Amino acid sequence: MTTEGSCGSLMQSFVLKVMVNGEFMSDLLGESAVEIAARVKSLEVSAEEVVEATLAGIERTAPHLNAFMHIDPDGARAAARELQRRLRAGEDVGALAGVPTAMKDLYNTYPGWPSTFGGALPPSAFIADTASTYPRRMEAAGAIMVGATNSPALGFRGTCDNAIFGATSNPFDLQRNSGGSSGGSAAAVGAGLLAIADGTDGGGSIRIPSAWSGTFGFQPTFGRVPLVLRPNAFGGTAPFVYEGPITRTVADAALALTALSGRDRLDPYSLPDTVDWNASLNAGIRGKRIGYTRDFGVFAVDPRIAAGVEASLSAFERQGAIIVPLDVELPHSQAELSDLWSRMISAGNLAAVEGFAYAGLDMRPQLPEPVVRWMDVAAAATPRDLRRDQMVRTEVFGRVEGLFDEVDFVVSPTVGALPIHNLDNGRTVGPSEIDGVAVDPLIGWCLTYLTNFSGHPAASLPGGLIDGLPFGIQIIAPRYADADLMSACARFEEAAPWEWIYRELAPELY
């Protein structure tokens, strides 16, 4: 295992050397969003230069990484020109001035772009005419939309692969998977193509690919970032579905959430209060009690990952926090819990598929067998079945919420396995066993979906590398304590900076 301690002090920002117009744009890719926006606003570089470097990097890595399912070079260039015009006119263009970003191809839309819902529809089947929350709010803050990133069909697995676009590769080992379902976003950020990309999270889909692709993923409290759903505005609660940023730095996540969070009247669960995300970057955690559980008493975890997470706890201690070992045992087995998650989220998937069928678009021919099988289970569920599932979910909520009677944060591994090898048939899934214990390859190897049952905010921090592959540290906070969670993440990054891992990207990536 390799951690930041074995690499000495924090290295300078890692940047990629990508050829654009015959010259190396050596200081534009790999930079943080904070740095890009500052340089653009000061006119040190232009938004056009940043976009050209980004598009060149995407083109160069596409055959190996497969992070994007759609790119809009003309639209990105036009947006960059317009932003540059406004800057020269002295206008305030927003905190994300000129920062390229991408939305995830799953329930997101952008005018004129295809939406395939993770390869569940052919690209030509559904062309949007409106913008969803992520692109709309990010553009309002000055970001430049360059495209949409790859996802599995309907987001129904912890890996990133589908029959239309294929698997997204891990930027640290191109034979392995990026994690999912926001795998294209995590791979693009991990590879340095984007500083910020969109993640949605119905079972860990911000945090799982962040763990595998070496990025920081922040899943806010339910309602913190609006989730505008139609025709069912109340459809994002069983399990809780979140939207949040995937970045390389904590400060970039705070910058993105400043743009993304805030009330939207079209979301009945949208929270009315605001969070000062930037102020949270400076708050300390001295005296805070950080509980640690290896496995919540039920999950299978690779011993190497457990050892890596346990070694990383000292970073919190160096910031004055107190580590408290937790004796946790959830009231149901990991097999029962992963089946519960599959039943619950499949009800929403079923509604989406039926809605598109009503509009004349048949998703079923493109859907993998597990998606169809679990939708059939959801379709057959009785009211008694639904009540029973919510009662089990309530038990999980009570157990997770009860941990905060003892501690301020809960830390665990993000996932129990290292990145797996990709298949070439669109059906890459996770491991079926860990350390001799059978797990559901869809999501049973992930410790993330507990917060999709409970509504607590959580994040995945890069912990370092194991045999050259990233692993993640999950940290969970009390509901609505998003600012405190961001502070804890910032203090961890300060004590155990992970910038060095980006020097270990797969050499054949570029």
Side-chain angles (χ1 to χ4, degrees):
M1 181 185 71
T2 310
T3 66
E4 92 291 343
S6 64
C7 292
S9 61
L10 177 63
M11 297 179 180
Q12 293 182 346
S13 295
F14 171 67
V15 293
L16 306 174
K17 297 184 183 297
V18 177
M19 191 76 77
V20 178
N21 296 328
E23 298 183 0
F24 282 117
M25 307 296 289
S26 60
D27 63 345
L28 295 178
L29 289 184
E31 275 199 328
S32 72
V34 171
E35 293 166 332
I36 292 170
R39 295 181 69 187
V40 168
K41 284 192 281 190
S42 69
L43 303 181
E44 178 185 345
V45 298
S46 70
E48 292 107 315
E49 289 175 299
V50 177
V51 164
E52 289 302 329
T54 299
L55 293 174
I58 292 170
E59 181 180 7
R60 184 159 177 166
T61 60
H64 313 297
L65 197 64
N66 194 36
F68 291 82
M69 54 74 64
H70 178 74
I71 299 295
D72 184 4
D74 292 341
R77 288 172 176 135
R81 286 194 299 271
E82 173 60 14
L83 186 136
Q84 205 63 34
R85 182 198 65 77
R86 293 175 59 202
L87 274 171
R88 294 192 197 100
E91 295 183 34
D92 180 1
V93 298
L96 288 165
V99 175
T101 190
M103 71 183 195
K104 176 183 176 181
D105 177 36
L106 186 67
Y107 301 107
N108 273 299
T109 58
Y110 192 82
W113 290 9
S115 290
T116 76
F117 305 88
L121 287 173
S124 61
F126 183 80
I127 306 299
D129 57 8
T130 60
S132 56
T133 298
Y134 184 88
R136 181 166 47 81
R137 290 196 168 191
M138 292 293 281
E139 282 191 324
I144 307 292
M145 295 298 301
V146 298
T149 57
N150 200 22
S151 170
L154 300 180
F156 189 66
R157 64 178 103 166
T159 50
C160 190
D161 196 358
N162 62 66
I164 293 181
F165 302 108
T168 295
S169 295
N170 193 299
F172 292 84
D173 183 340
L174 298 177
Q175 303 305 309
R176 296 177 185 266
N177 197 261
S178 61
S181 64
S182 308
S185 290
V189 172
L193 301 174
L194 300 174
I196 301 170
D198 176 37
T200 59
D201 191 313
S205 294
I206 291 171
R207 294 158 288 156
I208 298 165
S210 289
W212 274 12
S213 294
T215 58
F216 174 63
F218 193 96
Q219 170 248 293
T221 294
F222 183 69
R224 186 69 67 200
V225 174
L227 189 69
V228 179
L229 300 175
R230 295 297 183 271
N232 180 9
F234 302 91
T237 62
F240 288 123
V241 178
Y242 310 94
E243 190 158 29
I246 295 174
T247 64
R248 280 185 168 191
T249 71
V250 177
D252 280 0
L255 191 63
L257 284 163
T258 300
L260 292 170
S261 61
R263 184 169 182 263
D264 188 323
R265 293 186 300 109
L266 299 179
D267 175 8
Y269 297 107
S270 180
L271 297 177
D273 60 316
T274 59
V275 174
D276 190 338
W277 298 101
N278 289 324
S280 71
L281 297 174
N282 300 315
I285 58 170
R286 182 168 300 279
K288 298 291 187 182
R289 294 169 62 83
I290 296 181
Y292 170 68
T293 174
R294 171 192 171 114
D295 53 12
F296 289 96
V298 298
F299 290 102
V301 176
D302 185 319
R304 296 171 296 174
I305 294 176
V309 175
E310 288 165 13
S312 298
L313 295 174
S314 62
F316 292 112
E317 291 182 306
R318 292 196 294 275
Q319 296 284 18
I322 302 163
I323 304 301
V324 179
L326 294 175
D327 183 15
V328 185
E329 184 164 355
L330 295 174
H332 298 274
S333 71
Q334 53 90 6
E336 291 172 317
L337 293 175
S338 63
D339 282 356
L340 169 62
W341 178 84
S342 294
R343 286 193 301 273
M344 293 184 73
I345 203 159
S346 293
N349 287 342
L350 176 64
V353 170
E354 289 179 341
F356 276 103
Y358 182 78
L361 297 173
D362 187 6
M363 283 185 170
R364 280 187 175 256
Q366 285 78 231
L367 295 178
E369 182 276 333
V371 177
V372 175
R373 172 165 45 88
W374 279 106
M375 286 196 311
D376 290 342
V377 171
T382 66
R384 179 176 294 176
D385 294 331
L386 299 178
R387 287 196 302 271
R388 181 201 61 214
D389 283 352
Q390 291 289 15
M391 290 169 65
V392 173
R393 179 187 185 182
T394 300
E395 292 180 87
V396 174
F397 167 78
R399 196 63 57 91
V400 174
E401 179 65 22
L403 296 175
F404 297 107
D405 293 337
E406 308 174 47
V407 297
D408 299 292
F409 304 98
V410 174
V411 166
S412 75
T414 305
V415 298
L418 293 172
I420 44 82
H421 284 90
N422 281 322
L423 301 179
D424 60 4
N425 58 5
R427 301 175 183 173
T428 306
V429 293
S432 57
E433 67 90 20
I434 298 173
D435 201 27
V437 178
V439 297
D440 180 354
L442 294 174
I443 200 169
W445 43 280
C446 306
L447 287 72
T448 50
Y449 58 86
L450 297 179
T451 63
N452 299 91
F453 291 153
S454 69
H456 293 84
S460 182
L461 295 152
L465 302 176
I466 297 172
D467 297 334
L469 297 172
F471 70 96
I473 302 161
Q474 179 171 238
I475 177 167
I476 305 171
R479 294 186 77 179
Y480 312 111
D482 302 69
D484 293 339
L485 177 61
M486 190 68 79
S487 299
C489 293
R491 298 289 72 73
F492 179 91
E493 181 184 31
E494 185 176 63
W498 56 75
E499 260 191 353
W500 63 270
I501 69 172
Y502 303 122
R503 295 185 180 270
E504 306 299 325
L505 294 174
E508 63 272 34
L509 179 60
Y510 287 92

